[in-house]
Amino acid sequence: MNDSFQNVLFQLERATKLVSFSPDFLKRIAQPNRQIRVSLPIKMDNGMLNVYEGYRVQFNNARGPYKGGIRYHQETDIEEVKALAFLMTLKCAVVNIPMGGGKGGIMVNPKELSKTELERLSRTWMQTLVDVVGPHKDIPAPDMNTTPEIMAWMADEYAKVTGDTTGAVITGKPLEFGGSQGRATATAQGGFYVFEALQEKLGLPEVCRVVIQGFGNAGEHAADIWTKAGHKLIATSDSRAAIRNPEGLDVLALSEHKKTTGSVAGFAGGETFERDELLYQNCDVLIPAALENQIREDNVDRLQSHVVFELANGPTTPEADDQLFARGVSVVPDILANAGGVTVSTFEWEQNLKKEHWSEEEVFAKLKTIMNQESELIFERAQSLQTDLRRAAFVIALERLQQAMKR
Ligand code: GLU
């Protein structure tokens, strides 16, 4: 059984020990408003029928419509989606955008499907859930293994069924289908603004040695942004291999290599090493940008990083978190570190509703203001409560949610 939801509840409980909240609020916030599980029958290219399981969890909408991505993964399930929907609720409150929290998914390995099968599956998800989503109800977006193209299929399906062509039902669309400038790199870019705001405060050197777990959407963009700012990427990995170079990897060349071969494996500009060793490289900043539950009680001792910067959702378990805090390793929590994605999603939604197009500079300027402001607020709160950044972020999010739920 997936224990991600228990982990979030546990984190919540620890944060609520520091500041008192109304017991009724705490009872309500710990449960999703609605959990939907559907069957998605798809005709495969060979004429066979496969039935996939799809999800949407609408966790909380006190601060705005439900908001959150849809994940395609063979190991996802309703428990994981529920945990991620809870994190979205907190994340949107942390960056103070007018959105609630939700998440969706399909239990499928998208790599085993042809493009036409993937399109049918994505359209069927939208058809099946068309009544529960909507620009003022619930606004899905990309997440693990879901792309702008998939968002375009879903937006098109929604428009076909409902006649609403604003595109505001879904974010992370390609630019030509009403997407926003900057959305593709927003998670990494937002993360970098958080990093910049906290770099000195966390005692990090001017030039940091960075390790990124997961050279995927968020990780690859992060590698590009961090190294362009003068930091060094000394190791990274994907689902097949890990690669390192103490002098710094050439990110552009590595991206090229990945584009042609599909993986970082065999990259000539570095040494290939055991994937499992990636997390234990000596570095200033470790950026998990892949799956949940990577840093755990059983491996946390081996970490040799000054700061853990969570670009992935839920990469650190609560037990590992406690040990890192005790060792003086700062963890910049997911609900702050990767909130740039949903923030620019909200900009996309706003542009669709107002029929506007903002430039990339405008998008990033707005994003930077939000990420700087909320990072500083969380840092100050952590200092005044003498706690870690995660608990401080939870406290701020919960205060905002409690306020909204009083209405
Ligand atoms: N899937 C992303 C996240 O976990 C983005 C969600 C969104 O843009 O709505 O934050």
Side-chain angles (χ1 to χ4, degrees), residues 87-354:
L87 284 177
M88 285 309 302
T89 305
L90 296 159
K91 193 186 294 188
C92 293
V94 158
V95 280
N96 216 357
I97 50 177
M99 292 290 174
K103 200 85 172 195
I106 303 180
M107 194 192 283
V108 62
N109 179 357
K111 292 176 185 112
E112 288 174 359
L113 266 56
S114 72
K115 196 166 162 180
T116 49
E117 289 166 344
L118 200 61
E119 175 168 354
R120 283 198 290 279
L121 181 61
S122 304
R123 286 184 182 274
T124 305
W125 186 96
M126 181 51 94
Q127 261 169 33
T128 313
L129 293 165
V130 77
D131 291 332
V132 308
V133 299
H136 299 286
K137 261 195 234 172
D138 185 348
I139 306 142
D143 196 75
M144 195 175 285
N145 295 328
T146 45
T147 58
E149 187 177 36
I150 293 176
M151 298 305 112
W153 292 329
M154 288 188 168
D156 182 59
E157 196 59 35
Y158 185 81
K160 267 194 201 154
V161 179
T162 66
D164 176 344
T165 55
T166 58
V169 63
I170 213 156
T171 60
K173 301 179 291 296
L175 272 177
E176 61 278 21
F177 287 99
S180 175
Q181 295 285 350
R183 178 61 186 89
T185 52
T187 305
Q189 190 63 53
F192 187 68
Y193 294 141
V194 172
F195 170 81
E196 272 187 324
L198 298 178
Q199 186 176 0
E200 222 183 283
K201 293 180 166 58
L202 300 181
L204 287 167
E206 214 163 293
V207 174
C208 291
R209 291 168 307 132
V210 180
V211 170
I212 300 180
Q213 184 196 36
F215 201 69
N217 180 28
E220 187 172 349
H221 289 305
D224 182 50
I225 295 168
W226 257 262
T227 49
K228 276 193 181 131
H231 303 286
K232 267 189 199 172
L233 178 70
I234 59 163
T236 190
S237 65
D238 61 17
S239 56
R240 276 172 51 196
I243 193 103
R244 71 181 159 205
N245 183 343
E247 300 309 316
L249 292 158
D250 178 341
V251 174
L252 210 65
L254 184 58
S255 287
E256 274 306 313
H257 177 86
K258 196 192 128 186
K259 218 196 257 158
T260 42
T261 65
S263 167
V264 301
F267 177 58
E271 174 206 357
T272 300
F273 67 106
E274 202 36 60
R275 267 185 74 231
D276 293 346
E277 296 294 312
L278 191 272
L279 294 173
Y280 317 133
Q281 304 299 299
N282 188 311
C283 61
D284 300 306
V285 188
L286 172 64
I287 307 184
L291 286 165
E292 289 108 86
N293 300 332
Q294 299 299 296
I295 304 171
R296 300 173 306 267
E297 199 172 12
D298 61 289
N299 68 357
V300 64
D301 291 352
R302 299 191 57 201
L303 254 65
Q304 297 187 60
S305 159
H306 188 67
V307 165
V308 175
F309 194 93
E310 297 184 336
L311 222 43
N313 287 313
T316 314
T317 68
E319 298 80 17
D321 226 10
D322 278 343
Q323 293 198 30
L324 290 170
F325 187 48
R327 265 166 54 189
V329 176
S330 299
V331 178
V332 183
D334 47 8
I335 55 174
L336 172 67
N338 70 31
V342 72
T343 303
V344 175
S345 269
T346 304
F347 297 162
E348 178 175 332
W349 171 77
E350 200 180 325
Q351 290 170 78
N352 293 155
L353 289 177
K354 294 183 178 161

Side-chain angles (χ1 to χ4, degrees), residues 20-88:
S20 84
F21 290 93
S22 120
D24 288 354
F25 163 70
L26 290 180
K27 267 187 216 155
R28 282 175 65 195
I29 196 66
Q31 292 298 330
N33 289 350
R34 178 137 86 137
Q35 303 181 65
I36 305 162
R37 192 198 295 238
V38 291
S39 291
L40 307 170
I42 307 298
K43 251 297 173 13
M44 307 310 278
D45 292 346
N46 64 7
M48 238 177 71
L49 187 94
N50 274 1
V51 183
Y52 295 93
E53 194 166 272
Y55 315 101
R56 188 70 185 168
V57 175
Q58 301 184 321
F59 206 91
N60 187 288
N61 63 349
R63 302 186 69 263
Y66 302 105
K67 182 89 193 82
I70 307 170
R71 140 175 320 204
Y72 288 0
H73 198 272
Q74 60 276 20
E75 272 161 28
T76 198
D77 58 22
I78 193 92
E79 282 299 303
E80 181 189 55
V81 173
K82 184 166 82 172
L84 293 164
F86 197 173
L87 284 177
M88 285 309 302

